[in-house]
Amino acid sequence: MLRVCWKGAHAAARQCVCGKVKAHPLQHCRKYSTAGDSGSSAGKIVAASLLSVGGGLGGAILYAKWDPKFRANVEKSVPYSDQLFEMALGPPPPPLVLLQKKPGKIEPLQIFSLSEASKESKQPKDKAKKSDPAPVEAPAAVEEAPAPTAQTLEEASVEAAHIISAIGEVPSVPAPGTSDESPPGHTAAGEECKDHHEPELKERPAEEVTARLAQQDKAEQDALAALTAGLEESLGSTAKTTLQAIGAQEAALTAIAAHTNKLKEAMDSETPPDEKSSQWKALNEALSDRTRAMEEAEEALLKAKGELENLRGVINSAKQSKINTARPQILAAEENLHSMIVDLDKVVTKVQTAQTEAKIVSQYSELVNEAKAQFQQELANITPETQANWKGLSGKLSADDLTSLIAHAHRRIDQLNRELAEQRVREQIHIEVALEQQKLEDQKALERAVVSTLEHSREDMRLEQEKKAQEVREVMEAEMRTQLRRQAAAHTDHLRDVLKVQEQELREEAQEILNSKMMEQETHYRRLTQEQLDTFTLDMNAAYARLKGIEEAIDSHVIAEEEARKAHQLWLSVEALNYTLRSAGADFPTEPLEGAVGVIKENCAENEFAQALATAIPEESLSRGIYSEASLRARFYDIRRLARRVALIDETRNSLYQYFLSYLQSVLLFEREQVAPPAKLAPEDLDTFKLLAYANYSIERGDLELAAKFVNQLRGESQRVAQDWLKEARLTLETKQVISLLSAYANAVGLGTTQAP
Amino acid sequence: MSEKELGQKWDHCLADSAIKFGTGLGLGIVFSVVFFKRRTWPIVFGTGLGLGMAYSNCQNDLRSHYVLHIIYVPQQLICCNVC
């Protein structure tokens, strides 16, 4: 039945459509007729469009040839353009690839950076020590480093250290030195080793320091040994020579003494003349001995002095070498030197005094010889015949000779007495002169002696001072050592105390921290347990409340379910009513709605609203049923046509001629079939055609109510024609309204949100 | 259906006009033959008469809604609206 209804509806619709088509053929024809006669302009248009399209394509291809990116874009966006481009331009150019740096160059860079790092790390480390060899060694390092033979393990480790340090350093690369100083290869290597050692020294000081100290000690000892050996050697030699000199001097002294004795003896004329010659011979021997001894002594003295000077020089150099441990030896050597000098000087002075005595004695002997010679001369003068050897002539002398001799002797005695008197007179002067001479000589000797003793005493003092200084130094050293030991002991004690105190403090701190943490943990724990309890009680309360709520909800739910059941029933009955509405066919109404409405009334006996609504349904729809909207729509078109035809007919104009005119008007009047109605109707909108257009628009949009309103505004014959339709429309609208209300109400009640008052 | 009313009226009108036309024509012919020596004017007259009557009927029919009908209702008769 529904299909029949649909077919009827379709037929009605087709009629409408055909009617519509019929209404507009004129217009379409007119349009076609106006376009049909200008064919050349169409050709022109076609040609122009073809040209533009071709131009666009060609331009795109050319630009793609020039700009590959554009080509790629177009190929991406337009589907088959890549084939077109390939056809026109050939395959696309290959994509650009960034050149990669060759990894082979990284190694020399690394090496250079290494050398740079080593140079940079060396140069700040070699601060004041070897500034000059450093730039020599850096190129040497550059030369050495690329060579794979790492010379020592230490060097390799140092290189590793340098690599590690070079990672963070910025390699600023000044040009590495040219290979100019390659000859100092080993020495440079040795120095490099040392240089590597020296940074290593800075890194590992203790061992190297002890080694260095050992080295130093050894060197000192070696030097000391050398010094002492030298000193002893020189000492020995000087002692020997000095002893020799002293011996020689003493020998000279004895020789001089012997000579003077002999001379004195020779001066004494009491000895018999036979022994005089032997005496004189012995004297000559003694003189020659003396001279020889003097010469020897002189030589020995010179040698000794030379040796002493050497020794002094050695001692000075030893002093300058500044080895402390050699001091006592130096001191001893100096003492020896001094004593030797002293002895030598003493011996020399002795020799000199002996010499002066000898000189005096020789002078005396000379004087005596002179006097003797003079006397002899006088005697010779007096007694020329007597021989020189007059002593042997004592028995042969005559009385004359004797008297002359006695007279001479008396004369001589007188002379000698006079001379003696003179001499006595001059004695004082001579004595004074001699005394003065002697004084002078004594003074000189004294000065010399004083000077020499002063020098000796000065030397003595100096030596003593040095000895004392040495002793004091030793004492001081010992004291210093003890003080240092004390200080070290004090330091360790202090450290111990400080450590103890620190330990105490730290322990206390730790204890405090521990306590506070424990307190925190406890409070935290307590808080947590309290929270747990609280949450538990809260949960329990909440659960209890929820239980209560659930019970209430269930109770109310029962009520609500009851309500819902009722609502369901209502809704179902309303749905049944709605369903009956659909039973409308194309031209015939629905079934009478009585049944469904009765059911509603039955089901919702206690629902006043539903009852009221159910009774509000118009009687006609109950008994006869209502037309569907589609049928009304279909019918409307007939109404419309008819209403248009009798548009002029009303109370005043209703003759047949008017009918004709009205018909003519409807035929000749061209208007839009559907016009959107304005929000407010103006009086000129109450024209039949306009009203019908509005109604048509509305009904096309499914707004039956509005269409009915517009149709209601028709007047005259049009109104009469549309009367029935209007009634039907009203009926339909009313019923539908009530039913929609009912269904809305049923939905609302079904949702349980609204209650009927 | 009120829209069918008009169509019905027109149908009626046309039928009536056809009848009247035919009748007029016939009577005209008859009268022309019988009374007026086969002159055309009675035919025309009769046709015209028929058409006129039809026209008038049509008009009255169509107009009947707007015209107040005085209905003389004798005591026994009941008049209906649509004629």
Side-chain angles (χ1 to χ4, degrees):
Chain A
M1 187 181 137
L2 206 61
R3 244 184 256 161
V4 170
C5 298
W6 270 116
K7 275 189 187 161
H10 269 299
R14 239 181 281 126
Q15 273 188 18
C16 292
V17 167
C18 292
K20 263 204 244 172
V21 166
K22 272 192 225 160
H24 295 287
L26 282 170
Q27 292 176 349
H28 287 294
C29 285
R30 226 190 312 126
K31 270 191 190 161
Y32 280 133
S33 64
T34 52
D37 47 3
S38 58
S40 63
S41 68
K44 275 192 200 159
I45 287 166
V46 163
S49 61
L50 270 176
L51 201 69
S52 59
V53 163
L57 265 175
I61 287 172
L62 277 172
Y63 189 61
K65 190 173 182 181
W66 185 67
D67 185 10
K69 262 200 234 172
F70 170 74
R71 180 173 172 169
N73 277 339
V74 168
E75 277 178 12
K76 242 196 301 184
S77 50
V78 179
Y80 288 103
S81 59
D82 54 352
Q83 288 181 7
L84 175 71
F85 279 132
E86 211 173 311
M87 236 176 15
L89 301 172
L96 290 171
V97 174
L98 290 169
L99 291 170
Q100 304 237 340
K101 284 185 190 172
K102 290 177 192 172
K105 292 209 175 179
I106 292 170
E107 282 159 17
L109 273 174
Q110 271 182 352
I111 287 165
F112 283 136
S113 71
L114 167 76
S115 73
E116 269 316 302
S118 63
K119 216 201 308 193
E120 283 178 4
S121 63
K122 270 182 201 167
Q123 280 176 351
K125 279 176 186 174
D126 305 336
K127 276 180 188 173
K129 282 199 174 181
K130 294 179 185 178
S131 54
D132 286 331
V136 173
E137 279 149 38
V142 169
E143 294 286 11
E144 296 276 338
T149 59
Q151 291 176 5
T152 56
L153 274 172
E154 288 161 346
E155 207 177 313
S157 67
V158 162
E159 275 180 359
H162 284 320
I163 287 167
I164 290 163
S165 67
I167 286 169
E169 283 176 345
V170 176
S172 63
V173 187
T178 54
S179 60
D180 44 359
E181 308 222 15
S182 49
H186 287 291
T187 54
E191 281 178 340
E192 204 188 321
C193 278
K194 244 198 231 164
D195 259 341
H196 283 300
H197 274 300
E198 278 174 7
E200 275 186 80
L201 271 176
K202 304 293 190 274
E203 297 162 6
R204 298 179 288 177
E207 294 175 13
E208 282 303 319
V209 160
T210 50
R212 265 193 123 193
L213 277 175
Q215 254 184 6
Q216 269 183 358
D217 283 341
K218 214 166 69 102
E220 258 189 45
Q221 275 178 0
D222 287 341
L224 182 69
L227 244 168
T228 45
L231 270 174
E232 277 177 18
E233 235 186 79
S234 51
L235 258 178
S237 64
T238 33
K240 232 184 359 181
T241 47
T242 320
L243 280 173
Q244 270 181 5
I246 288 171
Q249 295 281 344
E250 280 186 354
L253 191 72
T254 48
I256 290 168
H259 175 69
T260 38
N261 282 338
K262 287 243 164 68
L263 196 61
K264 271 189 195 162
E265 279 182 21
M267 287 305 104
D268 287 336
S269 53
E270 293 172 3
T271 50
D274 297 329
E275 294 176 4
K276 281 260 182 204
S277 55
S278 59
Q279 269 191 353
W280 285 117
K281 270 193 219 160
L283 195 65
N284 282 333
E285 281 178 20
L287 184 66
S288 60
D289 277 340
R290 177 186 155 178
T291 47
R292 207 184 54 233
M294 290 290 288
E295 282 170 14
E296 280 178 7
E298 285 287 333
E299 275 181 29
L301 186 68
L302 278 172
K303 248 206 299 188
K305 281 223 165 94
E307 286 288 326
L308 283 169
E309 287 298 324
N310 276 349
L311 183 61
R312 196 185 286 277
V314 166
I315 286 169
N316 283 338
S317 67
K319 268 195 206 165
Q320 277 176 4
S321 70
K322 289 184 184 171
I323 300 172
N324 291 338
T325 49
R327 264 186 204 289
Q329 284 163 344
I330 291 169
L331 269 176
E334 274 188 358
E335 273 183 10
N336 279 338
L337 176 70
H338 176 63
S339 62
M340 279 194 278
I341 288 171
V342 163
D343 289 337
L344 208 59
D345 283 341
K346 271 192 211 163
V347 163
V348 163
T349 48
K350 268 191 215 167
V351 165
Q352 278 179 353
T353 47
Q355 265 187 333
T356 48
E357 269 191 36
K359 216 194 284 180
I360 290 170
V361 170
S362 70
Q363 273 183 2
Y364 169 64
S365 74
E366 273 178 32
L367 274 172
V368 166
N369 281 338
E370 247 188 69
K372 268 195 193 158
Q374 200 181 6
F375 186 60
Q376 243 182 352
Q377 228 187 3
E378 282 177 5
L379 209 60
N381 285 339
I382 295 168
T383 53
E385 53 271 7
T386 51
Q387 303 299 310
N389 242 5
W390 60 276
K391 282 184 184 176
L393 297 173
S394 59
K396 296 173 190 180
L397 287 172
S398 62
D400 289 329
D401 289 334
L402 279 171
T403 51
S404 61
L405 197 69
I406 288 164
H408 179 72
H410 277 295
R411 254 191 274 128
R412 187 85 181 140
I413 286 165
D414 286 336
Q415 191 199 358
L416 282 172
N417 281 337
R418 263 183 281 152
E419 272 189 3
L420 191 66
E422 262 186 54
Q423 211 53 32
R424 274 193 192 133
V425 170
R426 288 192 191 145
E427 195 187 316
Q428 253 348 82
I429 299 166
H430 285 170
I431 281 171
E432 283 173 10
V433 167
L435 271 172
E436 288 209 19
Q437 230 182 356
Q438 190 67 30
K439 259 189 211 166
L440 281 171
E441 283 192 19
D442 275 345
Q443 220 168 359
K444 276 191 211 152
L446 184 74
E447 278 175 10
R448 254 184 283 136
V450 162
V451 161
S452 65
T453 45
L454 207 63
E455 274 187 28
H456 290 159
S457 63
R458 218 176 275 148
E459 263 312 296
D460 270 337
M461 298 277 289
R462 197 177 60 82
L463 282 172
E464 253 187 64
Q465 195 184 9
E466 284 209 21
K467 236 196 277 181
K468 278 207 178 115
Q470 182 70 16
E471 280 173 17
V472 165
R473 205 173 286 132
E474 278 174 16
V475 166
M476 283 299 156
E477 285 261 349
E479 229 183 274
M480 173 141 328
R481 240 179 247 129
T482 51
Q483 293 296 340
L484 280 173
R485 251 183 270 129
R486 258 190 228 158
Q487 195 176 16
H491 183 63
T492 48
D493 283 342
H494 175 65
L495 271 178
R496 215 182 299 136
D497 290 339
V498 164
L499 277 171
K500 255 193 224 162
V501 166
Q502 257 188 6
E503 196 192 317
Q504 272 301 106
E505 280 176 14
L506 284 170
R507 202 166 285 183
E508 278 173 19
E509 247 185 68
Q511 196 66 31
E512 256 186 56
I513 289 169
L514 182 70
N515 286 341
S516 67
K517 281 273 149 75
M518 287 289 292
M519 293 283 296
E520 254 184 57
Q521 285 299 105
E522 257 196 59
T523 50
H524 185 64
Y525 174 70
R526 276 206 201 110
R527 195 159 30 90
L528 275 175
T529 47
Q530 193 61 37
E531 272 178 23
Q532 269 182 1
L533 267 172
D534 290 340
T535 46
F536 183 67
T537 45
L538 266 172
D539 287 340
M540 286 300 292
N541 289 338
Y544 184 69
R546 273 167 65 197
L547 187 67
K548 280 273 163 222
I550 284 166
E551 279 179 7
E552 276 181 26
I554 287 170
D555 290 337
S556 65
H557 206 64
V558 165
I559 300 165
E561 287 241 327
E562 188 61 41
E563 294 286 318
R565 195 184 57 77
K566 285 184 204 160
H568 267 212
Q569 275 197 331
L570 174 64
W571 187 81
L572 279 170
S573 39
V574 167
E575 275 300 305
L577 186 57
N578 261 329
Y579 189 72
T580 53
L581 279 182
R582 283 192 227 131
S583 62
D587 291 325
F588 45 89
T590 62
E591 291 174 356
L593 306 176
E594 222 170 347
V597 173
V599 165
I600 287 172
K601 281 188 183 167
E602 274 177 34
N603 285 336
C604 316
E606 61 277 1
N607 201 338
E608 289 177 6
F609 190 68
Q611 291 290 324
L613 280 178
T615 46
I617 293 178
E619 195 55 46
E620 189 74 33
S621 66
L622 287 176
S623 53
R624 194 206 56 177
I626 53 172
Y627 281 94
S628 67
E629 244 177 77
S631 59
L632 283 172
R633 261 184 67 207
R635 209 168 138 182
F636 176 77
Y637 291 110
D638 291 331
I639 301 290
R640 181 174 168 274
R641 202 164 14 105
L642 220 51
R644 283 180 92 241
R645 276 197 205 144
V646 297
L648 274 177
I649 310 298
D650 61 5
E651 302 92 11
T652 51
R653 306 194 182 103
N654 46 20
S655 66
L656 216 52
Y657 179 58
Q658 296 296 332
Y659 271 92
F660 170 67
L661 281 179
S662 167
Y663 182 72
L664 196 63
Q665 185 191 43
S666 81
V667 162
L668 291 176
L669 192 75
F670 295 111
E671 54 157 10
R672 260 180 276 171
E673 275 193 28
Q674 303 173 21
V675 174
K680 276 190 188 171
L681 275 181
E684 62 265 17
D685 287 335
L686 297 177
D687 177 38
T688 310
F689 294 101
K690 277 224 176 92
L691 282 168
L692 284 170
Y694 293 155
N696 197 7
Y697 183 89
S698 314
I699 211 166
E700 277 300 308
R701 304 292 176 285
D703 196 352
L704 186 61
E705 192 186 331
L706 196 59
K709 281 183 197 165
F710 284 128
V711 164
N712 195 27
Q713 296 301 319
L714 289 170
R715 294 280 170 265
E717 190 64 29
S718 314
Q719 188 191 23
R720 274 191 65 223
V721 155
Q723 202 66 22
D724 263 351
W725 184 88
L726 201 57
K727 187 168 78 89
E728 287 300 323
R730 268 204 205 106
L731 202 63
T732 307
L733 283 167
E734 261 185 56
T735 317
K736 282 226 165 108
Q737 193 181 36
V738 170
I739 288 171
S740 72
L741 263 174
L742 265 175
S743 72
Y745 174 67
N747 283 334
V749 167
L751 287 172
T753 53
T754 59
Q755 301 256 334
Chain B
M1 307 290 188
S2 57
E3 64 264 22
K4 294 207 172 111
E5 196 184 298
L6 193 64
Q8 283 168 1
K9 277 186 186 171
W10 275 111
D11 291 340
H12 199 251
C13 196
L14 276 172
D16 193 39
S17 75
I19 290 166
K20 290 218 164 35
F21 177 75
T23 313
L25 187 66
L27 275 179
I29 289 170
V30 161
F31 267 81
S32 150
V33 160
V34 167
F35 295 118
F36 296 104
K37 300 164 207 163
R38 295 209 183 163
R39 296 234 185 124
T40 49
W41 65 266
I43 302 168
V44 173
F45 184 67
T47 315
L49 217 61
L51 279 171
M53 277 196 288
Y55 181 88
S56 176
N57 270 354
C58 218
Q59 193 168 295
N60 276 338
D61 198 8
L62 285 166
R63 199 188 259 197
S64 64
H65 179 75
Y66 298 104
V67 172
L68 280 168
H69 297 279
I70 298 170
I71 300 164
Y72 176 70
V73 180
Q75 287 171 351
Q76 296 92 4
L77 284 174
I78 304 164
C79 192
C80 56
N81 200 8
V82 177
C83 295

